[in-house]
């Protein structure tokens, strides 16, 4: 139970430290005195998300600290031990809220995480805030109260986890079906594109080679004339370079008879003559390869045009065209294999749905069994709170599925949600002769306050908490009813132990 609470630089509070005695503690004061700030501080200690807006004006940080005495054995003591804390030392939670969002959490002096804090404090205290009455008007709260009363929260969590684990699989199945429909419409186009590219028989670098060939074909006559004329000048015509080299060589040989140092030059000249002969042979071979073929030029032009069309259509280069062909093949393969993926996904969904429906049906049976018991207990509590002869009923109704819109979570014409197959509605008839109607439609503020208190009294028997906090539990009541409410609060203190001094209930 909560033994001490310290607050610094939080909202309008500068520095405050409160030590709580056992039993019932009442905090009173006029509106704006700061009572709700204490509730907010305890909420943060229990793991609510912090905001820099809560820091007192002019301060950089706010600091909250609470000391809880932990009963052993208890669920909280076991969780503390699992996380390496000694429950015999009690539980000290310290939170530092910073404007720079550098918030810190300490448990028994050790820096820890929000997840660990929430795990330890989950069953540490129960807070009924100013909006508990309004919360009781929401039907989703009715189902939660029923599940808490019946101890069904673990089973409800299993259903919820199974529900949300199924959603990605269902999304995957829907995506695959949409993909199949979409690509099935395009399969003819994909097959055409595949044939178009494959039928072109593209070779790497082919477009560059063809461009080079086209240039030569278009200039074949000029090339032929140039090479032929060069051969004539070098070798075959009268007065060709080869003849003149021969004449020069003869002249140097005569001169070499006079000066033998010219011998190397004569040899070099002979080498030049041999090189010239080899060059002429190479030019003749090239001349034989020069094509003046208009038909071949036309074929080359057509092939280049074909390749250019493919490049414009599929990425701008032959490499891109080849890559696109591979991508098209993969898309076609995906369409061909998608039925198998859909079948596998549907099988996984069916298996998980069967398990989930089994859990949800078990949850439904337990809820129906607990609904009458909860109603009986509420009637008894309300009678003690001066609402005698009040009728109260927990109405369990399945959630009907939309027949026009089939859903994976439909079972026997009912729709499964993350909370199960049904919804719960609290029905009440405060006065004799009235018909049972939804709580939200007929209950007054004072009646709601007493219903909240009655439910808290009932849930206190099952909730594993040692601290219960009420905020404005007296809303809408007064006179003799207020006295009865006070007596009920005293009884709540005695629910945990026969020694009321060892319990704490804050109002």
């Amino acid at each position: 139970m909560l033994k001490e609470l310290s607050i610094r630089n939080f909202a309008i509070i500068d520095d405050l430290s409160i030590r709580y005695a056992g039993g019932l503690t009442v905090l009173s004061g006029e509106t704006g005195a700061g009572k709700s700030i204490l509730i907010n501080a305890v909420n943060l200690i229990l793991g609510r998300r912090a905001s820099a807006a809560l820091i007192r004006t002019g301060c950089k940080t706010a600091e909250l600290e609470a000391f809880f005495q932990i009963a052993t054995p208890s669920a909280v003591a076991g969780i503390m031990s699992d996380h390496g804390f000694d429950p015999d030392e009690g539980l000290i939670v310290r939170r530092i809220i910073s404007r720079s969002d550098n918030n810190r959490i300490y448990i028994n002096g050790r820096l820890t995480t929000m997840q660990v804090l929430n795990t330890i404090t989950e069953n540490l205290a129960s807070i009924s805030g100013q909006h508990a009455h309004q919360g009781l008007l929401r039907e989703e709260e009715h189902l939660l109260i029923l599940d808490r009363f019946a101890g069904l929260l673990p089973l409800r969590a299993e259903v919820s986890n199974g529900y949300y684990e199924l959603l990605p699989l269902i999304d995957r199945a829907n995506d695959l079906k949409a993909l199949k429909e979409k690509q099935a419409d395009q399969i003819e186009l994909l097959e055409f594109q595949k044939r178009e590219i494959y039928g072109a028989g593209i070779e790497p670098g082919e477009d560059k080679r063809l461009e080079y060939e086209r240039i030569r074909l278009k200039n074949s006559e000029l090339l032929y004339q140039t090479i032929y004329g060069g051969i004539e000048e070098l070798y075959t015509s009268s007065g060709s370079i080869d003849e003149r080299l021969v004449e020069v060589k003869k002249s140097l040989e005569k001169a070499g008879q006079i000066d033998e140092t010219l011998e190397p030059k004569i040899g070099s000249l002979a080498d030049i003559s041999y090189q010239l002969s080899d060059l002429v042979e190479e030019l003749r071979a090239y001349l034989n390869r020069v094509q003046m073929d208009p038909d071949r030029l036309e074929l080359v032009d057509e092939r280049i045009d074909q390749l250019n069309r493919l490049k414009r259509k599929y990425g701008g280069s032959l490499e891109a065209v080849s890559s696109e062909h591979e991508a098209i093949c993969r898309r076609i393969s995906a369409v061909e294999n998608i039925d198998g993926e859909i079948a596998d996904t549907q099988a996984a969904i069916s298996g998980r749905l069967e398990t989930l429906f089994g859990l949800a049906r078990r949850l439904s049976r337990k809820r129906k069994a607990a609904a009458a018991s909860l109603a009986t207990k509420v009637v008894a509590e309300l009678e003690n709170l001066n609402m005698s002869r009040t009728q109260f009923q927990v109405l369990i109704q399945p959630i009907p599925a939309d027949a026009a819109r089939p859903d994976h979570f439909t079972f026997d014409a009912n729709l499964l949600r993350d909370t199960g197959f049904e919804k719960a509605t609290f029905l009440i008839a405060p006065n004799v002769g009235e018909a049972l109607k939804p709580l939200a439609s007929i209950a007054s503020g004072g009646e709601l306050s007493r219903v909240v208190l009655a439910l808290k009294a009932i849930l206190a028997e099952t909730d594993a908490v040692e601290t219960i906090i009420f905020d404005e539990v007296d809303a809408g009541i007064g006179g003799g009813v207020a006295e009865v409410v006070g007596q009920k609060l005293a009884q709540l203190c005695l629910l945990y132990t026969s020694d009321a001094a060892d319990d704490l209930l804050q109002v």
Side-chain angles (χ1 to χ4, degrees):
M1 63 183 176
L2 180 62
K3 301 293 289 184
E4 188 170 345
L5 178 65
S6 298
I7 302 173
R8 292 183 58 198
N9 301 329
F10 185 73
I12 63 173
I13 296 177
D14 178 16
D15 195 346
L16 176 66
S17 183
I18 306 174
R19 290 187 177 182
Y20 296 98
L24 176 63
T25 299
V26 178
L27 300 177
S28 63
E30 62 185 14
T31 301
K35 302 185 299 297
S36 295
I37 294 176
L38 299 180
I39 304 296
N40 291 336
V42 176
N43 270 318
L44 289 171
I45 288 293
L46 296 177
R48 178 175 290 181
R49 290 287 177 183
S51 168
L54 298 170
I55 301 173
R56 190 166 184 256
T57 303
C59 300
K60 294 182 178 179
T61 61
E63 186 173 331
L64 309 171
E65 189 170 25
F67 171 65
F68 294 87
Q69 182 179 323
I70 304 300
T72 54
S74 67
V76 176
I79 295 171
M80 286 184 65
S81 298
D82 292 342
H83 286 85
F85 299 104
D86 185 358
D88 292 333
E89 297 178 354
L91 174 65
I92 300 174
V93 178
R94 180 174 172 230
R95 293 196 66 175
I96 299 175
I97 307 167
S98 171
R99 293 195 185 277
S100 62
D101 289 334
N102 185 24
N103 301 333
R104 285 162 288 167
I105 302 172
Y106 296 88
I107 294 180
N108 288 10
R110 196 168 80 194
L111 188 65
T112 188
T113 64
M114 180 71 77
Q115 182 179 359
V116 173
L117 175 63
N118 282 318
T119 301
I120 292 176
T121 62
E122 182 178 7
N123 296 310
L124 195 60
S126 172
I127 298 179
S128 178
Q130 294 180 15
H131 303 292
H133 308 354
Q134 289 78 7
L136 197 57
L137 301 179
R138 298 196 303 268
E139 289 189 354
E140 57 267 26
E141 288 295 317
H142 299 179
L143 189 63
L144 180 59
I145 290 170
L146 175 62
D147 289 343
R148 287 176 59 196
F149 167 75
L152 296 176
L153 292 183
L155 181 55
R156 173 174 168 146
E158 285 189 67
V159 171
S160 179
N161 292 338
Y163 179 90
Y164 286 109
E165 286 172 0
L166 262 170
L167 292 181
L169 279 176
I170 293 172
D171 289 341
R172 173 63 177 162
N174 291 335
D175 290 344
L176 287 171
K177 290 176 183 177
L179 183 63
K180 179 182 177 181
E181 292 177 3
K182 180 181 178 181
Q183 289 196 337
D185 294 338
Q186 297 179 352
I187 192 68
E188 185 176 350
L189 174 62
L190 292 172
E191 290 287 0
F192 169 79
Q193 292 173 336
K194 176 183 176 182
R195 291 193 302 271
E196 182 180 37
I197 297 174
Y198 181 79
I202 299 171
E203 298 177 2
E206 182 182 2
D207 53 344
K208 294 181 176 59
R209 293 195 300 273
L210 288 173
E211 286 288 350
Y212 180 61
E213 182 181 0
R214 179 167 66 174
I215 293 172
R216 286 185 298 160
L217 285 169
K218 291 179 70 173
N219 295 278
S220 58
E221 186 175 351
L222 175 62
L223 288 172
Y224 188 91
Q225 292 176 352
T226 301
I227 300 305
Y228 184 84
I231 294 173
E232 288 284 312
E233 290 291 331
L234 290 172
Y235 206 75
T236 59
S237 65
S238 176
S240 66
I241 292 175
D242 181 64
E243 287 185 356
R244 282 181 281 168
L245 281 174
V246 171
E247 294 297 327
V248 172
K249 181 173 177 287
K250 289 179 180 180
S251 298
L252 287 177
E253 286 174 347
K254 290 180 181 178
Q257 293 175 356
I258 301 171
D259 185 354
E260 61 183 11
T261 60
L262 291 174
E263 286 297 327
K265 307 299 185 292
I266 297 170
S268 297
L269 191 60
D271 291 339
I272 293 172
S273 181
Y274 295 142
Q275 291 174 7
L276 180 62
S277 178
D278 292 340
L279 176 59
V280 169
E281 289 302 318
E282 292 174 3
L283 289 175
R284 284 174 175 166
Y286 178 86
L287 193 64
N288 292 331
R289 294 196 302 272
V290 173
Q291 297 183 44
M292 288 182 285
D293 187 346
D295 293 336
R296 174 60 185 169
L297 178 60
E298 184 177 353
L299 290 174
V300 169
D301 282 336
E302 290 175 357
R303 179 62 173 174
I304 290 174
D305 288 343
Q306 181 187 19
L307 296 180
N308 285 339
R309 283 195 303 273
L310 291 174
K311 287 194 290 185
R312 286 194 299 269
K313 191 173 180 180
Y314 298 111
S317 67
L318 292 187
E319 291 79 7
V321 174
S322 298
S323 297
E324 182 64 18
H325 179 260
E326 294 174 2
I328 290 170
C329 291
R330 286 194 299 269
R331 287 199 288 271
I332 293 174
S333 178
V335 173
E336 294 171 347
N337 297 330
I338 202 168
D339 287 335
E341 289 189 57
I342 292 174
D344 291 343
T345 306
Q346 290 287 19
I349 291 173
S350 297
R352 294 199 180 195
L353 273 176
E354 184 177 356
T355 301
L356 181 58
F357 286 154
L359 291 171
R361 290 196 300 272
R362 182 151 59 97
L363 181 60
S364 297
R365 290 193 298 269
K366 291 180 178 293
R367 282 170 171 168
K368 292 173 183 176
S373 177
L374 175 60
T376 300
K377 287 180 175 290
V378 170
V379 169
E381 290 292 339
L382 291 177
E383 186 171 354
N384 293 332
L385 292 169
N386 278 5
M387 291 181 67
S388 60
R389 304 185 71 178
T390 295
Q391 297 182 69
F392 187 89
Q393 180 182 337
V394 181
L395 178 63
I396 303 292
Q397 294 176 297
I399 304 169
D402 186 349
R405 298 178 61 189
D407 190 285
H408 282 89
F409 295 104
T410 298
F411 182 83
D412 287 345
N414 296 326
L415 183 64
L416 176 68
R417 292 179 180 167
D418 60 334
T419 54
F421 278 119
E422 51 277 320
K423 60 182 179 178
T425 305
F426 290 167
L427 304 179
I428 191 170
N431 303 308
V432 177
E434 283 186 290
L436 284 164
K437 295 181 181 179
L439 183 66
S441 64
I442 65 171
S444 66
E447 289 167 343
L448 281 175
S449 294
R450 282 177 280 177
V451 172
V452 168
L453 186 55
L455 289 169
K456 280 290 180 180
I458 294 168
L459 294 177
E461 300 175 8
T462 55
D463 284 349
V465 297
E466 296 186 6
T467 301
I468 302 179
I469 301 173
F470 288 96
D471 189 10
E472 296 193 6
V473 71
D474 57 347
I477 61 176
V481 176
E483 182 179 355
V484 172
V485 169
Q487 293 172 355
K488 176 55 64 177
L489 294 175
Q491 292 173 14
L492 276 174
C493 288
L494 294 170
L495 282 174
Y496 297 100
T497 175
S498 59
D499 184 0
D502 290 334
D503 293 293
L504 175 65
L505 180 67
Q506 298 183 52
V507 183

